[in-house]
Amino acid sequence: MTTQEALEPDMTSEEVTGKPPPNGGRVEHMFQTTKFADFIDRDDALEQPEHIVAQELSVWYREVEAVKKINLGIRKGRVTAIIGPSGCGKSTFLRAINRMNDLIPGCRVTGSLLLDETNINDTRVDVVALRQRVGMVFQKPNPFPKFIFDNVAYGPRLLGIRNRGRLMQIVEDSLRRAALWQEVKDRLFENALGLSGGQQQRLCIARALAVDPEILLMDEPASALDPKATVHIENLISELRGDYTIVIVTHNMQQAARVSDYTAFFYEGDLIEYGDTEGIFTKPKLKQTEDYITGRFG
C-alpha cells in the first residue's frame, strides 16, 4: 500500500509557570526504571533516548478508564503523533504528560509516567516546575487580552525575570522560534486579540517556548485554523524538531503523516499500534490500524 493509498478516505488552558525550585526547575531524580523500546525496531531504538515513558499508565474519570495500561516510549527531539477516533483517550494521555488532568475533579492516574526516568506522578514532584519543562498548546488559540509583548513575557516574569532588556530578548527569541517575529515586531504593544487566528496560535506557541521547555504538547493545534495558517503551524513543527520533544494529537491523517517521526494509534483507551510514521501509514502491522488510517472507520 502506497502512502497516497493509505491517506485516501474509502479544550481553556491554565497558565503554568511559577517560581522555580532550588534545583533550577528540574524535577528531582527519584526512581531508576527499565526503559521501553518494544514497539519499534531495535536499530531505530538506538537513534534517540526515550524522553517520556509510560508504564502501565491508566487514567480514570471516576469509574471510567479512559486510558488503559499504556506502555509507550516517546523519543527525545522527535515528533510523535497520536491518532485515533474521538473519545479514544488521545487528549487524556497528552494531558497526563504535564499533569493537567490533576485539574479535573474525579480524575486519577495509576501506573507510571516517566520523564528522564523520574515518575512525574510521585507526590514529591513540583508540578509547577514540571509544567515549566513540559509546555502545552491547545486546540483553540487562547492569548491573554494583553499586549503581544506581555503575552510572551508573562511566564518569564512569573519566573522572576524583571530586567527589561532580558525580557525583550526572550520575547524576540521566542517569537522568532515561533516564526512570528517578522509579522509582529512593529506591533508588540498592540492587543494580541487583534491578531489572526493562525497568528494567535503561533503566539501561544511562543508563550510556551518563552519559559524554555524541553517538551511541547500540542492538542490539535491546527484544527481551528484555515489551510494557510495550518501550513504555518506544520512548518513550525518541522523547524522545532530536534530542539524539542513534540507530541501532537491530531485527527488529520495527512497532517500526522507530514509532520511526525513516530505515530501512536489509540482506540477506546488502548494503544493499538506504535511505530515509525512511514511504517504505520504504508505498512501497518494490524488490520485495525489500516482500517482506521484508510477511513474505513473512525
Side-chain angles (χ1 to χ4, degrees), residues 79-82 94 218 220-221 237 246-250 255 259-260:
V79 180
T80 298
I82 302 177
L94 194 75
M218 296 184 165
E220 299 190 59
I237 291 170
I246 299 176
V247 187
I248 178 172
V249 165
T250 180
Q255 184 176 80
V259 305
S260 68

Side-chain angles (χ1 to χ4, degrees), residues 33-40 50 52-59 65 67-75 80 82 93 110-114 263-266 269-275:
T33 63
T34 301
K35 292 188 174 183
F36 280 69
D38 298 330
F39 292 97
I40 59 178
E50 289 168 335
I52 307 161
V53 180
Q55 296 180 335
E56 296 294 303
L57 182 75
S58 292
V59 182
E65 190 176 14
V67 170
K68 304 174 182 177
K69 294 182 172 58
I70 299 297
N71 292 293
L72 174 62
I74 294 174
R75 304 226 158 259
T80 298
I82 302 177
F93 176 79
T110 60
S112 299
L113 208 158
L114 310 171
T263 297
F265 169 45
F266 279 48
D270 291 309
L271 174 61
I272 304 301
E273 188 170 347
Y274 173 56

Side-chain angles (χ1 to χ4, degrees), residues 247-296:
V247 187
I248 178 172
V249 165
T250 180
H251 278 102
N252 187 319
M253 297 300 97
Q254 291 90 344
Q255 184 176 80
R258 285 192 298 265
V259 305
S260 68
D261 302 297
Y262 297 93
T263 297
F265 169 45
F266 279 48
Y267 184 71
E268 294 186 349
D270 291 309
L271 174 61
I272 304 301
E273 188 170 347
Y274 173 56
D276 69 273
T277 294
E278 183 178 1
I280 289 288
F281 279 91
T282 61
K283 196 175 180 181
K285 296 178 181 178
L286 301 177
K287 188 177 187 301
Q288 188 175 8
T289 307
E290 181 177 348
D291 287 347
Y292 179 73
I293 64 176
T294 55
R296 294 193 180 100

Side-chain angles (χ1 to χ4, degrees), residues 75-97:
R75 304 226 158 259
K76 189 171 186 175
R78 295 292 179 260
V79 180
T80 298
I82 302 177
I83 63 172
S86 297
C88 70
K90 305 185 300 296
S91 294
T92 296
F93 176 79
L94 194 75
R95 291 193 300 267
I97 298 174

